[in-house]
Amino acid sequence: MTDTEFPAKQFVRVSVNVPHMRGLFDYHVPPPLSGQVEVGSLVAVPFGEQKVQGIVVEETDTPQVEDTRPVSSLIDPHPVLTPQQVQLAQWLAERQLAPLPLCLAAMLPPGLSKLADTLFQVAREPRVDEPLTTLQQRLLASLAEHGPLRGRQIDRRIPRQQWRTAMRGLIQHGLVASAPILPEPTVRPKTIKTVRLAVPPAVAREQWNDLGRGDAGLRRQQVMEFLIQEAWEVDTAWVYAHAPGANINDLRRLAAMGLIRLGENEIWRDPLDDLHYELNIPPGLTLEQQAVWDVVHTAIRDHAPRAPLPIIIQGVTGSGKTEVYLRAAQAVLAQGRSTLVLTPEISLTPQTVRRFAGRFPGQVGLVHSRLSAGERYDTWRRARTGDLRIIVGARSALFTPMQQPGLIVVDEFDDQSYYQRDSLFSFNAVQAAIQYARLCGAVILLGSATPDITLRFQAEHAGWPVLRMPNRILAHRETVNAHLRQIGARQQIEGTAQTTEHGLPPVTVVDMREELKAGNPGIFSRALQRQLSAVLEQQQQAILYINRRGTATYVFCRECGYVLQCPDCEKPLVYHTGENGLRCHTCAYQRQMPKTCPQCGSRRIRQYGTGTEKVEQMVHDLFPHARIVRFDHESTRQKDAHNILLSHFANHRADILIGTQMLSKGLDLPLVTLVGVVLADVGINLPDYRASERVFQLLTQVSGRAGRSPLGGRVLLQTFNPDHYVLRHAAGQDVDGFYQSEIDFRRQMSYPPFTHLLRLETRDTSAVQAEQRAKLLEHDLRQWLNTGGYRETRLIGPVPCFFHKIGGYYRWQIVLSGPRPSEVIRPHLPLDGWLLEVDPPTLL
């Protein structure tokens, strides 16, 4: 026999989609699948007695076992991951101490990745005298009511219960039957039924009398009249719209007569179908933009197989960073490569998408978690085939299977939203994007007005280019002049240049202690009230920023001091006026506002503090005729709510926008001439090493919402601590001065970037069990530190987390700080019952 008659077996290494499984397993490809399975393929494979999903990570000539099992099937005919994505997942698993299957599954659209499960169903009715526990009775009742259920369905119906032990008893007594199952993917292409004329119009009319009598014949004639006028196949819904009363049976009858041909076409579920945008022509560049673009263009033009160094663009809000991104995308597209643009918040994606869609119509896709599963699946497939060359989205967009990525943009890269904290595995999307760019040989641009301190320190010591854009672009002349004409103002903004540079708006710090001394106990200083009044009189717009949602920060009893807390999180409940109820902003627990104190029975129970709803109410009291929009988590929970509210405000159908940190970035609103920060102190004193940095970034970014046009603007920061260094630097918009102060402080305290952190967290419904588990691990960690010689690594804890209870679970944490803390526990993985975070951005 020749080699042609007996081709060599193809062996592949597969990461199986089984929770906490860290190894790779070798399989051979059976002849029917020969040549179809490659790196990145999604396959079904036997694993023990189950059939599970897996992703091919590599091919091999030398399997680790002699008797390999065959790949069962190919779930998708095309690879679901590119080779670079597989390498990125391996890097994430190594760096984050996470199981590889979790990292790979995170890159697939919802509904495609499926875990093996067990299907349970009732086998027989229990006898009257058969002893059953309460939990077993509940399980049987659930199966009897709902029919066969998978294990994960039972998890949702009976949460926080160790039901599997009870289920094993039912199986042993023959009351329940079980079988392994691999659920099918729940996302698939969407199709529509189509119809077209199958004969010439003259032939169709010859059979008019054979279409039927009465209403049926009339309906079919209307169908034929419509199709005679259509040159191509059309959606059956159009036919029904033009032939009232027509149905599928009429179409089947006409098809049986040979007059029409029924078909089926796939349609794309595109979240941008209803997006309104204007085509835009690249404007001229300012001198600052040109200098930055020259460096970026050179990096793109001279790209080699080895990726260039990351480029940080430190530009104030309104300096024109987005135009540099657009030009970079154009240059990359000209090379036949793709672009990925990440934004920190879903609320920022509509504006960014409009800019890119206006420059590159038909080539832009959108990815974020609030899209439907079908929209995400279709966008994922179109990017995979290269139909979409530019993807804009939030953190999850990083895992889109782009064809030949040549440019990655991470806008506002300092934002904490790029960090995912998850019970399965956590990761920093900015660091992952940098690694992905290295793997793809792509240029990566990291843009921000307030660069992350740790990453900026890394850039300066690694020699990355740090490009500065300290001035704003004076834009929106036409918009402002149109507004002035509308309100009957005589003055007009002179000049035609659209790229004139100008400075940031002035910032005034208002000492609220002086307001109290002057007899003003309210949340609005006299200066802020005067400025709001002036804005409304001039028919301009204002933004009021507060870093709290709801009406009151907490509810307490003035008699005994009792504070109403969430029973699951032990955090103060927040009062919401519209529903006259209390809500936990961590786990969504809700209850009605009590009339009396639950502890002492007093009726002196009151709300205290200031949230967005209360600010809205107080603004309305001061300015009854002002049109107000509230922009926070509650008001933007529905799909497309971000876009609707911002469009409403941008079109000047509201005068004052009140919101939380969602307002701090990315918004370009030319009529906003005033930003008021209601309380700038919030968050400064949290026990976290990045608390000051986060407050400085938020205040600097939200200040940038004012003065984006020739109308100018100003910012008011209200505070009870005007001498704090964070507020001094924020008021002076002194990014470099704050960086130097903060980096000196962190060097002194041995905080990142002068150390690495590993945070370990355990959770339990029992406070005692959580504490005991933490102390047991502490004992092990001290042994590992001693035996491994990790003398420079400090162990901090165990201690209760700052938010000690969340969602009914008590939380304890241990922190390792040192040069290589991950290496201390790597030989001992997995650590059951522990969440691991490598270099987390917060320790709260």
Side-chain angles (χ1 to χ4, degrees), residues 195-206:
V195 59
R196 68 178 301 171
L197 197 66
V199 296
V203 175
R205 288 194 172 92
E206 289 175 359

PDB file of all heavy atoms in Angstrom, residues 195-206:
ATOM      1  N   VAL A 195     -39.861  35.147  -2.325  1.00  0.00           N
ATOM      2  CA  VAL A 195     -40.687  34.665  -3.438  1.00  0.00           C
ATOM      3  C   VAL A 195     -40.346  35.494  -4.676  1.00  0.00           C
ATOM      4  O   VAL A 195     -40.021  36.670  -4.576  1.00  0.00           O
ATOM      5  CB  VAL A 195     -42.195  34.772  -3.094  1.00  0.00           C
ATOM      6  CG1 VAL A 195     -42.584  36.195  -2.794  1.00  0.00           C
ATOM      7  CG2 VAL A 195     -43.049  34.204  -4.217  1.00  0.00           C
ATOM      8  N   ARG A 196     -40.419  34.871  -5.845  1.00  0.00           N
ATOM      9  CA  ARG A 196     -40.212  35.581  -7.102  1.00  0.00           C
ATOM     10  C   ARG A 196     -41.041  34.937  -8.194  1.00  0.00           C
ATOM     11  O   ARG A 196     -41.455  33.766  -8.080  1.00  0.00           O
ATOM     12  CB  ARG A 196     -38.739  35.595  -7.502  1.00  0.00           C
ATOM     13  CG  ARG A 196     -38.180  34.246  -7.873  1.00  0.00           C
ATOM     14  CD  ARG A 196     -36.721  34.350  -8.294  1.00  0.00           C
ATOM     15  NE  ARG A 196     -36.580  35.251  -9.422  1.00  0.00           N
ATOM     16  CZ  ARG A 196     -35.399  35.658  -9.889  1.00  0.00           C
ATOM     17  NH1 ARG A 196     -34.286  35.255  -9.293  1.00  0.00           N
ATOM     18  NH2 ARG A 196     -35.324  36.456 -10.922  1.00  0.00           N
ATOM     19  N   LEU A 197     -41.300  35.673  -9.247  1.00  0.00           N
ATOM     20  CA  LEU A 197     -42.060  35.163 -10.377  1.00  0.00           C
ATOM     21  C   LEU A 197     -41.249  34.097 -11.099  1.00  0.00           C
ATOM     22  O   LEU A 197     -40.052  34.270 -11.327  1.00  0.00           O
ATOM     23  CB  LEU A 197     -42.397  36.323 -11.326  1.00  0.00           C
ATOM     24  CG  LEU A 197     -43.509  36.093 -12.339  1.00  0.00           C
ATOM     25  CD1 LEU A 197     -44.852  35.935 -11.626  1.00  0.00           C
ATOM     26  CD2 LEU A 197     -43.578  37.273 -13.322  1.00  0.00           C
ATOM     27  N   ALA A 198     -41.881  32.977 -11.464  1.00  0.00           N
ATOM     28  CA  ALA A 198     -41.168  31.870 -12.106  1.00  0.00           C
ATOM     29  C   ALA A 198     -41.443  31.775 -13.601  1.00  0.00           C
ATOM     30  O   ALA A 198     -40.835  30.949 -14.290  1.00  0.00           O
ATOM     31  CB  ALA A 198     -41.540  30.553 -11.424  1.00  0.00           C
ATOM     32  N   VAL A 199     -42.360  32.574 -14.102  1.00  0.00           N
ATOM     33  CA  VAL A 199     -42.731  32.510 -15.528  1.00  0.00           C
ATOM     34  C   VAL A 199     -42.836  33.930 -16.069  1.00  0.00           C
ATOM     35  O   VAL A 199     -42.957  34.894 -15.296  1.00  0.00           O
ATOM     36  CB  VAL A 199     -44.090  31.789 -15.708  1.00  0.00           C
ATOM     37  CG1 VAL A 199     -43.996  30.342 -15.260  1.00  0.00           C
ATOM     38  CG2 VAL A 199     -45.201  32.511 -14.954  1.00  0.00           C
ATOM     39  N   PRO A 200     -42.805  34.099 -17.362  1.00  0.00           N
ATOM     40  CA  PRO A 200     -42.997  35.441 -17.924  1.00  0.00           C
ATOM     41  C   PRO A 200     -44.374  35.999 -17.547  1.00  0.00           C
ATOM     42  O   PRO A 200     -45.329  35.232 -17.356  1.00  0.00           O
ATOM     43  CB  PRO A 200     -42.888  35.217 -19.440  1.00  0.00           C
ATOM     44  CG  PRO A 200     -42.103  33.950 -19.577  1.00  0.00           C
ATOM     45  CD  PRO A 200     -42.490  33.108 -18.408  1.00  0.00           C
ATOM     46  N   PRO A 201     -44.506  37.311 -17.448  1.00  0.00           N
ATOM     47  CA  PRO A 201     -45.793  37.910 -17.060  1.00  0.00           C
ATOM     48  C   PRO A 201     -46.954  37.473 -17.952  1.00  0.00           C
ATOM     49  O   PRO A 201     -48.063  37.248 -17.453  1.00  0.00           O
ATOM     50  CB  PRO A 201     -45.525  39.416 -17.189  1.00  0.00           C
ATOM     51  CG  PRO A 201     -44.055  39.546 -16.956  1.00  0.00           C
ATOM     52  CD  PRO A 201     -43.439  38.331 -17.562  1.00  0.00           C
ATOM     53  N   ALA A 202     -46.706  37.329 -19.249  1.00  0.00           N
ATOM     54  CA  ALA A 202     -47.806  36.937 -20.153  1.00  0.00           C
ATOM     55  C   ALA A 202     -48.315  35.537 -19.810  1.00  0.00           C
ATOM     56  O   ALA A 202     -49.531  35.282 -19.818  1.00  0.00           O
ATOM     57  CB  ALA A 202     -47.325  36.991 -21.602  1.00  0.00           C
ATOM     58  N   VAL A 203     -47.405  34.625 -19.505  1.00  0.00           N
ATOM     59  CA  VAL A 203     -47.802  33.264 -19.136  1.00  0.00           C
ATOM     60  C   VAL A 203     -48.591  33.282 -17.831  1.00  0.00           C
ATOM     61  O   VAL A 203     -49.578  32.561 -17.661  1.00  0.00           O
ATOM     62  CB  VAL A 203     -46.570  32.351 -19.012  1.00  0.00           C
ATOM     63  CG1 VAL A 203     -46.950  30.963 -18.505  1.00  0.00           C
ATOM     64  CG2 VAL A 203     -45.843  32.250 -20.357  1.00  0.00           C
ATOM     65  N   ALA A 204     -48.138  34.117 -16.892  1.00  0.00           N
ATOM     66  CA  ALA A 204     -48.842  34.212 -15.604  1.00  0.00           C
ATOM     67  C   ALA A 204     -50.274  34.673 -15.805  1.00  0.00           C
ATOM     68  O   ALA A 204     -51.219  34.126 -15.213  1.00  0.00           O
ATOM     69  CB  ALA A 204     -48.099  35.175 -14.688  1.00  0.00           C
ATOM     70  N   ARG A 205     -50.484  35.687 -16.693  1.00  0.00           N
ATOM     71  CA  ARG A 205     -51.833  36.220 -16.880  1.00  0.00           C
ATOM     72  C   ARG A 205     -52.745  35.211 -17.592  1.00  0.00           C
ATOM     73  O   ARG A 205     -53.969  35.233 -17.420  1.00  0.00           O
ATOM     74  CB  ARG A 205     -51.761  37.523 -17.657  1.00  0.00           C
ATOM     75  CG  ARG A 205     -51.183  38.685 -16.834  1.00  0.00           C
ATOM     76  CD  ARG A 205     -51.440  40.029 -17.505  1.00  0.00           C
ATOM     77  NE  ARG A 205     -51.062  41.134 -16.634  1.00  0.00           N
ATOM     78  CZ  ARG A 205     -49.882  41.720 -16.630  1.00  0.00           C
ATOM     79  NH1 ARG A 205     -48.931  41.290 -17.471  1.00  0.00           N
ATOM     80  NH2 ARG A 205     -49.619  42.710 -15.810  1.00  0.00           N
ATOM     81  N   GLU A 206     -52.163  34.315 -18.387  1.00  0.00           N
ATOM     82  CA  GLU A 206     -52.969  33.301 -19.064  1.00  0.00           C
ATOM     83  C   GLU A 206     -53.652  32.368 -18.074  1.00  0.00           C
ATOM     84  O   GLU A 206     -54.672  31.744 -18.383  1.00  0.00           O
ATOM     85  CB  GLU A 206     -52.093  32.492 -20.022  1.00  0.00           C
ATOM     86  CG  GLU A 206     -51.649  33.264 -21.255  1.00  0.00           C
ATOM     87  CD  GLU A 206     -50.682  32.457 -22.107  1.00  0.00           C
ATOM     88  OE1 GLU A 206     -50.369  31.298 -21.697  1.00  0.00           O
ATOM     89  OE2 GLU A 206     -50.219  32.954 -23.155  1.00  0.00           O
TER      90      GLU A 206
END
